[in-house]
């Protein structure tokens, strides 16, 4: 491993592995704070959502480079996290479910925190970073990725238990779960505990002579919507609209639909006696789901705000890169769906932003704070506009090479094909070019050639029609894989036969297809695949 490059950290970005000596006094390497949120679609003020109260995340965006069109590679937790934390696509990690560990099942691939650890960083994990369980070897990939044992909130174990007080006064395991925090077990919530632990670690690292890489994984707005009940007040039900396209599209092939089984298993949803697989959910309950999702986002925003305010108070904001993203999006009634588990934009598009001290925002003056905490209940707080924005399509795979480059480390090389034998390489684009602002100071929007930009995603299914395990099929049950291409003009998906024993897709055996022209159909409701006979786009474009 090469040591961190230091010569150009304050003047620009390092491309490649050669360190410049333009400055006589090399500054210390930059720290990294990586914030990963669970199931967060770009329902944020900084992404143009005028209903959502997210002032602290919006404040981060105002000092960051924000990517408007970033996409996850599979819209479910474990496969997505393993993908972007290793920089490899699901077809390389061979993880499409929750039931294998990539180092055993696919290859001994390096991770982002492992790479930073091997380059002299103290690496720390708080909350849900890797997905717990087999997919991270029941250890959050320790000891490979982390310098100290990962931290998990003690109150996590109550997330899916009967802690939601219903109208009958009894406790239930509900989907909708606004709570009085003082009354829940331990008198706290997991994300509050994670924020407290992350701040404690920052305080400890302030006096360290080593740079740090701290990953903080927040649970909300993942279901159940268990959040402090006062956040409901931000979203009166009379202000909550339905999804703009709440019906299942007429041209949607059955294989593309997910029946949101994890929603159906909650006690309050079971009481609705919904039909399987299409529902629909009653309109008044739809509004309550959307209200609770938005309230969970605002609760999350307070935790991000407290974390960033502490970073500022500890005088670490000038020396810490901050990256903020989500593992995937979440459908709130669009296409009649209520979960992730698909290839639509609403489930694959995620927020992605990077704050780089002195680069995406000027260094603050003495005593000035970049990240003062903002109360989302304060009606006088100003709506903050994003800083610079990139409109190009990018993938979460780019997180690995981009963070490495921003920190001045050697950017891992592109992976050969196949790359199962290569421990350190990356399958995603390096986004460092978007941080070179000198030739576009008057333009807040950054562009490449839009015709060259493609984001890939995929999703497995056990059958051609929705069934009980359509959302989360185990590897052995996968019979069909939906490979999806998102370009500036269209989203194109083919559902093809998949052999789970050999991890092979048969593109000559197409079960169904989807083609959405996003300029005229941005919500992706009108499938044009059969109109074009499905053969106009080359399958060779698939990764």
């Amino acid at each position: 491993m090469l040591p961190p490059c230091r010569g150009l950290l304050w003047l620009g970005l390092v491309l490649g592995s050669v360190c410049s000596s333009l400055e006589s006094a090399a500054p210390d390497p930059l720290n990294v704070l990586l914030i990963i949120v669970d199931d967060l679609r770009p329902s944020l003020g900084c992404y143009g959502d005028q209903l959502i109260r997210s002032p602290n995340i919006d404040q981060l965006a105002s000092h960051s480079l924000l990517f408007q069109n970033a996409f996850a590679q599979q819209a479910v937790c474990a496969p997505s996290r393993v993908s972007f934390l290793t920089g490899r696509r699901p077809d390389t990690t061979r993880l499409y479910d929750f039931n294998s560990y990539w180092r055993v099942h696919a290859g001994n691939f390096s991770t982002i925190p492992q790479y930073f650890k091997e380059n002299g960083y103290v690496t720390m994990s708080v909350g849900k970073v890797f997905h717990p369980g087999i997919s991270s070897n029941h250890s959050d990939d320790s000891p490979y990725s982390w310098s100290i044992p990962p931290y998990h909130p003690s109150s996590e174990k109550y997330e899916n238990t009967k802690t939601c007080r219903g109208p009958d006064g009894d406790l239930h395991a509900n989907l909708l779960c606004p709570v009085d925090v003082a009354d829940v077990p331990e008198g706290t919530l997991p994300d509050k505990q994670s924020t407290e632990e992350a701040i404690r670690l920052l305080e400890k690292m302030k006096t360290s002579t080593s740079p740090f890489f701290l990953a903080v994984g927040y649970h909300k707005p993942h279901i159940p919507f268990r959040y402090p009940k006062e956040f409901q007040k931000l979203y009166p039900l009379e202000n909550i609209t339905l999804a703009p396209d709440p019906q299942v599209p007429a041209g949607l092939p059955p294989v593309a639909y997910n029946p949101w089984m994890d929603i159906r298993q909650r006690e309050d949803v079971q009481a609705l006696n919904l039909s399987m697989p299409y529902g629909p959910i009653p309109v008044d309950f739809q509004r309550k789901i959307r209200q609770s999702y938005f309230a969970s986002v605002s609760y999350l925003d307070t935790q991000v705000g407290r974390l960033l305010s502490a970073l500022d108070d500890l005088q670490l904001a000038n020396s810490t890169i901050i990256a903020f993203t989500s593992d995937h999006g979440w459908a709130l009634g669009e296409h009649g769906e209520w979960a992730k588990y698909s290839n639509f934009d609403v489930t694959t598009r995620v927020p992605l932003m990077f704050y780089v001290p002195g680069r995406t925002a000027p260094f603050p003056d003495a005593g000035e704070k970049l990240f003062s905490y903002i109360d989302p209940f304060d009606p006088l707080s100003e709506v903050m506009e994003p800083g610079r924005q990139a409109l190009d399509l990018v993938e979460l795979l780019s997180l690995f090479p981009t963070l490495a480059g921003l920190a001045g480390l050697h950017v891992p090389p592109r992976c050969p094909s196949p790359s199962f034998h290569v421990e350190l390489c990356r399958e995603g684009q390096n986004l460092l070019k978007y941080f070179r602002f000198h030739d576009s100071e008057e333009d807040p929007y950054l562009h490449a050639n839009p015709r060259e930009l493609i984001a890939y995603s995929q999703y497995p299914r056990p059958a051609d029609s929705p069934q009980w395990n359509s959302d989360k099929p185990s590897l052995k049950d996968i019979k069909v894989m939906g490979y999806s291409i998102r370009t500036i003009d269209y989203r194109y998906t083919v559902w093809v036969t998949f052999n789970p024993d050999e991890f092979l897709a048969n593109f000559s055996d197409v079960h169904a297809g989807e083609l959405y022209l996003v300029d005229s159909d941005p919500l992706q409701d009108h499938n044009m695949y059969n109109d074009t006979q499905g053969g106009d786009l080359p399958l060779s474009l698939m990764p």
Side-chain angles (χ1 to χ4, degrees), residues 6-10 21-28:
R6 303 188 180 194
L8 288 177
L9 282 175
W10 307 121
S21 58
L22 292 180
E23 291 183 329
S24 58
D28 292 333

Side-chain angles (χ1 to χ4, degrees), residues 467-503:
Q467 59 187 47
W468 68 271
N469 63 338
S470 288
D471 296 347
K472 294 183 286 187
S474 296
L475 174 63
K476 64 181 177 58
D477 297 322
I478 298 173
K479 300 295 188 294
V480 186
M481 187 72 73
Y483 288 93
S484 194
I485 298 174
R486 178 64 158 87
T487 75
I488 195 70
D489 297 315
Y490 58 82
R491 178 172 286 285
Y492 176 63
T493 304
V494 286
W495 298 89
V496 302
T497 294
F498 185 81
N499 184 327
D501 298 318
E502 300 179 1
F503 301 95

Side-chain angles (χ1 to χ4, degrees), residues 175 223 246-248 252 256-266 269-270 272-282 285-286 289 330-342 459 461 466-472:
L175 173 65
I223 63 169
Q247 306 299 322
V248 179
L252 184 71
Y257 185 80
N258 77 80
W260 30 279
M261 292 302 297
D262 49 1
I263 300 292
R264 295 173 185 271
Q265 294 167 8
R266 309 290 166 167
V269 178
Q270 286 180 343
L272 299 175
N273 295 316
L274 303 175
S275 63
M276 171 69 186
Y278 296 107
I281 293 177
F285 202 86
Q286 290 188 38
I289 294 177
W330 212 80
L332 284 168
E334 293 86 358
H335 310 114
E337 297 183 333
W338 297 92
K340 45 256 190 178
Y341 315 132
S342 81
Y459 210 86
R461 295 282 191 242
Q467 59 187 47
W468 68 271
N469 63 338
S470 288
D471 296 347
K472 294 183 286 187

Side-chain angles (χ1 to χ4, degrees), residues 10-192:
W10 307 121
L11 296 178
L13 300 168
V14 179
L15 297 174
S17 62
V18 180
C19 295
S20 173
S21 58
L22 292 180
E23 291 183 329
S24 58
D28 292 333
L30 290 172
N31 307 307
V32 176
L33 172 60
L34 172 59
I35 302 173
I36 302 171
V37 185
D38 205 338
D39 288 16
L40 179 64
R41 60 197 243 161
S43 290
L44 298 165
C46 54
Y47 280 89
D49 193 315
Q50 297 181 1
L51 176 65
I52 302 299
R53 295 285 296 167
S54 54
N56 294 287
I57 299 173
D58 298 344
Q59 180 173 240
L60 173 62
S62 73
H63 300 305
S64 299
L65 172 58
L66 181 146
F67 288 87
Q68 281 282 355
N69 291 292
F71 292 88
Q73 276 49 76
Q74 187 176 327
V76 69
C77 298
S80 177
R81 289 165 187 263
V82 169
S83 175
F84 69 72
L85 287 168
T86 62
R88 315 287 184 113
R89 299 187 187 279
D91 275 349
T92 303
T93 66
R94 291 180 167 175
L95 182 68
Y96 314 103
D97 58 10
F98 296 77
N99 302 321
S100 66
Y101 180 41
W102 78 92
R103 293 187 189 273
V104 174
H105 201 59
N108 190 29
F109 308 142
S110 296
T111 69
I112 301 173
Q114 177 185 354
Y115 187 54
F116 276 80
K117 179 183 176 184
E118 292 170 348
N119 279 277
Y121 279 70
V122 176
T123 58
M124 302 165 288
S125 173
V126 171
K128 187 177 178 181
V129 177
F130 285 99
H131 196 283
I134 299 173
S135 63
S136 60
N137 202 32
H138 298 285
S139 67
D140 298 276
D141 194 45
S142 294
Y144 295 97
S145 289
W146 309 111
S147 303
I148 62 176
Y151 170 85
H152 284 278
S154 60
S155 62
E156 274 183 349
K157 59 181 173 287
Y158 304 110
E159 276 293 277
N160 294 299
T161 59
K162 294 188 176 186
T163 56
C164 317
R165 196 165 300 281
D168 58 4
D170 293 335
L171 295 177
H172 298 274
N174 284 346
L175 173 65
L176 310 181
C177 192
V179 298
D180 183 337
V181 176
D183 290 342
V184 299
E186 300 187 32
T188 188
L189 294 172
D191 287 347
K192 294 170 68 70

Side-chain angles (χ1 to χ4, degrees), residues 297-414:
V297 172
S298 291
Y299 162 55
L300 161 76
D301 181 78
T302 64
Q303 300 309 304
V304 173
R306 291 191 170 97
L307 176 61
L308 296 183
S309 179
L311 186 83
D312 226 341
D313 290 340
L314 293 166
Q315 299 180 338
L316 291 169
N318 280 358
S319 57
T320 303
I321 297 164
I322 304 169
F324 178 95
T325 193
S326 171
D327 51 0
H328 44 70
W330 212 80
L332 284 168
E334 293 86 358
H335 310 114
E337 297 183 333
W338 297 92
K340 45 256 190 178
Y341 315 132
S342 81
N343 283 317
F344 287 116
D345 279 15
V346 73
T347 61
T348 56
R349 182 170 169 244
V350 295
L352 178 64
M353 63 188 80
F354 297 86
Y355 159 76
V356 185
R359 193 66 187 139
T360 61
F363 290 114
D365 296 331
E368 179 188 0
K369 288 192 66 172
L370 287 179
F371 303 116
S372 297
Y373 177 78
I374 305 172
D375 187 346
F377 292 92
D378 181 2
L380 300 179
S381 61
E382 297 181 2
V383 177
M384 294 196 177
E385 296 295 327
R388 292 185 175 274
Q389 301 177 62
L391 299 180
D392 294 342
L393 282 77
V394 300
E395 300 177 298
L396 275 191
L397 283 177
S398 294
L399 196 61
F400 195 154
T402 304
L403 280 178
L406 290 173
L409 305 183
H410 173 66
V411 176
R414 285 291 222 139

